[in-house]
Amino acid sequence: MIRWIVTDLDGTLVGRDLAMVPESGDALRRFMAVGGEVIVATGRMESSARRYVEELGLTSPAILYNGARTVDLGSGAVLRSRALPVDAWKSLIGMFDELPEGVYPVAFTGGEALAVHDVPELRDYARRDGVALRDPGDWAALPPGEITKCMLIGAAPVEVELPGTVVLRSEATYLEVLPEGATKGTALRELAASRGVPMEQIAAIGDNPNDLDMIAAAGLGAAVGDGHPDVRAAAGVVVGACADGAVADLVELVMAAR
């Protein structure tokens, strides 16, 4: 029996219009009404994920920053937190001035998103995620041991390989540099263990490569039908497209099994 459904947000539960797909939201509420629990697992930060958590009426913790933080958004309690190694952050600062044209860094610390450039690419990111970008002035002045993650936003290819980090692409133009061990799958395993929920009693769904280890960790791993080919190939089941109610399809499978 599936006790938890863990869902990604963008491209999975949330459509291109940034609204929750109504069929999927309604289905998750039906799952909760019969005793199931819903966990959001996203690359978004606290302020960005909160609107969807509140819309669903969730009281469960949220896996944020692609697994770098697990937070009870109701109380603000941080249940799990990872930060970039100091040397890795210093190396990233050194790279910022040499990034290809059209690629811009965003860093996250203390629940804030920070950027020094005011360009369309970052304004679009801020609009999409519903965040306010603050100019830190001097990257080196930030607390070096408290950087939750760094994003490099832009279409130009960028290669990053730093000790103590994991690098993943959460969107076609979003390259994320995270602390080692900060993945959705790792965060989910730790949260499930702390709550005494076996992984085989968890279903997880996503659409992009940053969801792969979460899908692999869950007892039932589902891919969105119009998601990344690697995710569809790795999933135990492929459901419909996001806009057609991908999460609702998963809920239907889970409820039928119950």
Side-chain angles (χ1 to χ4, degrees):
M1 182 180 72
I2 296 297
R3 293 168 58 184
W4 285 8
I5 291 179
V6 184
T7 179
D8 171 53
L9 288 180
D10 297 288
T12 301
L13 180 62
V14 174
R16 294 184 183 277
D17 60 356
L18 306 182
M20 188 181 303
V21 177
E23 297 89 342
S24 292
D26 291 344
L28 289 175
R29 293 184 191 94
R30 289 196 299 273
F31 176 69
M32 291 188 286
V34 296
E37 188 167 356
V38 174
I39 308 288
V40 163
T42 178
R44 290 176 179 252
M45 60 190 292
E46 293 90 339
S47 60
S48 180
R50 184 172 283 109
R51 60 174 284 199
Y52 303 108
V53 168
E54 292 178 348
E55 184 176 346
L56 283 171
L58 303 184
T59 58
S60 51
I63 295 170
L64 306 173
Y65 302 95
N66 276 313
R69 275 187 146 195
T70 302
V71 180
D72 181 333
L73 290 176
S75 67
V78 178
L79 308 180
R80 178 183 187 270
S81 182
R82 299 291 184 272
L84 289 171
V86 171
D87 288 345
W89 171 240
K90 290 180 178 178
S91 295
L92 281 167
I93 294 174
M95 293 174 55
F96 288 168
D97 290 335
E98 300 177 3
L99 290 172
E101 185 177 354
V103 178
Y104 307 98
V106 179
F108 299 81
T109 182
E112 286 191 302
L114 310 171
V116 299
H117 298 91
D118 182 13
V119 293
E121 291 88 343
L122 295 190
R123 289 196 294 270
D124 183 65
Y125 161 72
R127 176 197 60 80
R128 176 180 169 176
D129 271 30
V131 301
L133 294 175
R134 181 174 71 82
D135 187 344
D138 180 5
W139 290 117
L142 297 176
E146 299 177 20
I147 308 299
T148 305
K149 76 170 183 178
C150 177
M151 290 177 65
L152 302 177
I153 296 178
V158 180
E159 296 292 332
V160 178
E161 187 173 346
L162 296 169
T165 70
V166 57
V167 180
L168 55 84
R169 193 163 288 281
S170 56
E171 298 284 347
T173 58
Y174 295 175
L175 188 73
E176 308 210 8
V177 185
L178 294 149
E180 195 169 49
T183 69
K184 291 184 181 183
T186 302
L188 176 57
R189 288 187 186 93
E190 291 191 17
L191 180 61
S194 72
R195 302 297 175 94
V197 177
M199 294 303 296
E200 59 267 24
Q201 294 181 4
I202 297 174
I205 181 169
D207 70 312
N208 262 321
N210 60 315
D211 299 311
L212 279 168
D213 74 326
M214 175 179 78
I215 289 170
L220 174 60
V224 177
D226 55 348
H228 194 282
D230 290 350
V231 182
R232 298 200 307 268
V237 61
V238 178
V239 294
C242 170
D244 295 335
V247 176
D249 291 346
L250 176 60
V251 173
E252 184 176 342
L253 290 172
V254 167
M255 297 283 275
R258 275 176 165 244

